[in-house]
């Protein structure tokens, strides 16, 4: 094996650590540092705590503003009500749970950490929704032409204000993550996943608000609230469930494209183009919904525009998924040809189903942690080489490369890389048979209380060396060499 992978790299030199930070590469902890110290000293730990606290504050403020009844001059303003929110919450969960799992499944090869998923979803569900509600309300007041009560105010705000405000709020967390952890944005799948989670979180809270207001209106007009709830659920939760994730995915694709490009012009134009595409699609969607068309007329833009866009995004995601599989295999093959990795690493690591199968088998073999670390190290190594080949990472990447190769080498004999012929479960393992062991003799190490079989008794007469283990067949006395 090459010298670069033979010894653990020493990154105690401040210049080496500065090279890692310059490329946004992980800096290894010092010797003797416990995971608690690393956890407490990690800036992302405290950033996560602050963001989650801010998201919790926003959802509390929104709850206090919308749910309880409020006393106002001249009477009481009826809120959404806790019981109504509890009634509509399951309908919103029916849509958001499978949609979020679908985006998480797409982020297979280089998945983000759980706290990144949680913060992104929470930002869309809490922060983006709260600030969008405030800004949309302020803007709609300025768009009123006939004064307070103008019936065209809501359609104007929904068409010309809400798309830009809501897409900007949902995309804020994406730009923050792109700046804070650009090394983790390795493909279009990274942008689609994070943007989809932010959009799904926003749609989740917005659906609860729409469902609850519809139920409240049904109470006021004496209409069957369950029938009204099911009707709006079909329209928003089934026919148009893709809205916000689809719009925000445009921004995510633009950001991911910028993160994987070396051109400064592309890094500026790609996110802006993605955001404008998201706002334009959102504007067309809201404008069509606010035009007062019948349900039959609304099906035309859905069938001709919206659904083809969803299918196109799905095809694009699958295509990029397959491209990432080939990229990982090609980059790991480079290391295998140089002798730094085994051929099996490049063969099995790029296959998602094989990775899942290996993890399942390692679970029952007691190697799940080592196998999981091995797969992560191989994937990171492949994307690191791709970044260095693209010119996105300078010579500082060689330090991280050496560290990953050493980690793979140390995990080699503790992890599973190739799948076993079959999964062996604990109840299928056979114990070694002791039927052929000789009876213990007393006294001796194999006697009373001994753990080993007693030695075989010595032969009755002396035999030549090796005759105890080797037995020969009888020789035919008539045998002789062939004539001539």
């Amino acid at each position: 094996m090459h010298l670069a992978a033979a010894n653990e790299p020493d990154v105690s030199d401040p210049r080496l650590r500065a090279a890692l930070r310059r490329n946004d590469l992980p800096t290894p902890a010092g010797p003797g540092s416990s995971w608690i110290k690393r956890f407490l000293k990690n800036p992302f730990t405290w950033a996560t705590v602050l963001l989650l606290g801010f998201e919790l504050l926003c959802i509390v403020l929104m709850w206090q503003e919308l749910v309880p009844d409020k006393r106002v001059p001249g009477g009481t303003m009826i809120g959404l009500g806790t019981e109504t929110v509890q009634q509509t919450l399951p309908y919103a969960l029916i849509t958001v749970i499978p949609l979020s799992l679908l985006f998480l499944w797409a982020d297979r090869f280089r998945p983000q950490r759980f706290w990144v998923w949680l913060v992104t979803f929470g930002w869309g569900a809490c922060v983006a929704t709260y600030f969008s509600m405030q800004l949309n309300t302020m803007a709609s007041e300025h768009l009123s032409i006939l004064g307070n009560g103008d019936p065209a105010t809501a359609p104007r705000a929904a068409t010309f204000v809400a798309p830009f405000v809501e897409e900007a709020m949902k995309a804020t967390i994406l730009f923050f993550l792109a700046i804070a952890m650009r090394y983790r944005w390795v493909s279009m799948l990274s942008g689609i996943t994070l943007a989809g989670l932010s959009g799904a979180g926003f749609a989740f809270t917005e659906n609860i608000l729409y469902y609850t207001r519809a139920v409240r209106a049904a109470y006021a007009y004496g209409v069957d609230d369950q029938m009204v709830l099911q009707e709006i659920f079909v329209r928003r939760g089934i026919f148009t469930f893709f809205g916000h994730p689809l719009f925000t995915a445009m921004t995510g694709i633009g950001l991911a494209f910028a993160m994987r490009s070396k051109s400064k012009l592309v890094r500026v134009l790609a996110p802006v183009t993605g955001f404008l595409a998201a706002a334009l699609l959102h504007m067309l969607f809201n404008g069509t919904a606010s035009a007062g068309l019948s349900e039959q007329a609304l099906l035309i833009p859905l069938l001709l525009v919206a659904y083809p866009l969803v299918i196109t995004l799905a095809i694009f995601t699958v295509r990029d998924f397959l491209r990432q599989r080939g990229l990982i295999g090609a980059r790991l093959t480079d290391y295998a040809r140089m002798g730094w990795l085994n051929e099996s690493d490049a063969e099995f690591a790029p296959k998602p189903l094989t990775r899942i199968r290996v993890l399942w088998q390692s679970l029952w073999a007691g190697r799940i942690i080592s196998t999981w670390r091995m797969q992560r190290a191989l994937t990171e190594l492949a994307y690191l080489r791709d970044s260095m080949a693209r010119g996105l990472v300078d010579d500082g990447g060689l330090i991280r490369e050496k560290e990953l190769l050493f980690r793979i080498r140390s995990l080699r004999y503790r992890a599973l890389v190739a799948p076993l012929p079959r999964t062996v479960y604990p109840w299928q393992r056979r114990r070694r048979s002791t039927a052929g062991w000789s009876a213990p003799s007393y006294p001796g190490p194999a006697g009373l209380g001994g753990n080993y079989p007693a030695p075989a008794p010595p032969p009755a007469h002396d035999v030549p060396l090796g005759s105890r283990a080797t037995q020969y067949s009888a020789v035919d006395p008539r045998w002789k060499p062939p004539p001539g």
Side-chain angles (χ1 to χ4, degrees), residues 415-463:
L416 290 179
V417 177
L420 301 175
R422 66 183 184 91
T423 304
V424 180
Y425 299 99
W427 56 85
Q428 294 177 333
R429 297 172 185 169
R430 297 180 179 179
R431 295 184 178 181
R432 296 180 60 184
S433 175
T434 60
W437 289 6
S438 303
S441 60
Y442 180 82
L448 188 62
N451 298 321
Y452 301 96
H461 56 278
D462 295 336
V463 294

Side-chain angles (χ1 to χ4, degrees), residues 189-208:
L189 296 177
S190 302
I192 293 174
T193 298
L194 295 177
L197 288 176
S198 180
F202 190 96
F204 170 67
T205 305
E206 190 181 57
N207 283 341
I208 294 178

Side-chain angles (χ1 to χ4, degrees), residues 6-34:
N7 301 317
E8 184 177 7
D10 182 13
V11 292
S12 58
D13 189 347
R15 292 174 298 179
L16 298 181
R17 301 180 73 87
L20 292 174
R21 288 192 295 267
R22 182 176 64 249
N23 293 277
D24 194 35
L25 299 175
T27 304
S33 177
S34 62

